[in-house]
Amino acid sequence: DSDERKRTNSLLEAFYGEIITKKHKSLINELLELESTSEIEIGPGKTVPYRSSMFYLLDEPSPDRRKEIERKIESFVSDELNPVLEESFLQEEKSINELGFANKVEMCTRLSGIDLHSTDRMMQEFVNETDEIYAKYLGILSEKELGIPVEELNRHDLLRIMRASKFDSLFPE
């Protein structure tokens, strides 16, 4: 029946996920080790753990300093993390193929019963339908919070807006 099929699919999905995770445990551990032990220099003589670096970026009021911190984070990710992630992706893809699936999307779709292509189309429609509203209000926030026109907004500026530090007083330690 339908409920039994869902339970079986959930078990299969967990089983296949566990197989793939076990096969690539060393790369996963390498990535976690890099993330947890690496440090990034975010300023002259100021080094912070990689996992904390984003907090420094979000709390930095200076756009130039945010840009520099973001550049250093991106450099670390590109030079250190991405090679491990790429190798992990390639090995995972090979394992998925060995298990009889064309790719991860097909595997997840078949095992979970969720049509990921349909979900993607639905999400793309949502983005298309709300893009104009998002851009309008992002422009208002950008001007109000940072004094920057939306056309000049950088990723680090957007992150600063999303940080919403004006609400910090409402969440005491």
Side-chain angles (χ1 to χ4, degrees), residues 107-147:
M107 182 181 88
C108 292
T109 297
R110 272 202 359 223
L111 295 175
S112 72
I114 298 170
D115 183 350
L116 296 177
H117 294 291
S118 175
T119 303
D120 178 56
R121 284 190 298 276
M122 181 175 59
M123 295 308 299
Q124 290 304 317
E125 287 173 19
F126 175 79
V127 168
N128 292 338
E129 290 171 9
T130 60
D131 192 49
E132 196 174 301
I133 296 167
Y134 176 80
K136 175 185 173 183
Y137 285 100
L138 179 58
I140 292 169
L141 268 175
S142 179
E143 289 281 353
K144 182 179 176 186
E145 300 292 324
L146 302 176

Side-chain angles (χ1 to χ4, degrees), residues 70-124:
E70 181 181 40
R71 187 191 65 71
K72 290 186 177 191
I73 292 170
E74 287 176 354
S75 177
F76 171 76
V77 169
S78 176
D79 296 345
E80 303 295 328
L81 299 182
N82 281 354
V84 178
L85 286 168
E86 182 178 11
E87 181 60 29
S88 178
F89 172 80
L90 292 172
Q91 285 189 18
E92 183 179 87
E93 186 176 46
K94 182 180 177 199
S95 295
I96 288 169
N97 294 151
E98 289 170 355
L99 292 170
F101 300 100
N103 53 51
K104 192 170 190 173
V105 171
E106 182 203 343
M107 182 181 88
C108 292
T109 297
R110 272 202 359 223
L111 295 175
S112 72
I114 298 170
D115 183 350
L116 296 177
H117 294 291
S118 175
T119 303
D120 178 56
R121 284 190 298 276
M122 181 175 59
M123 295 308 299
Q124 290 304 317

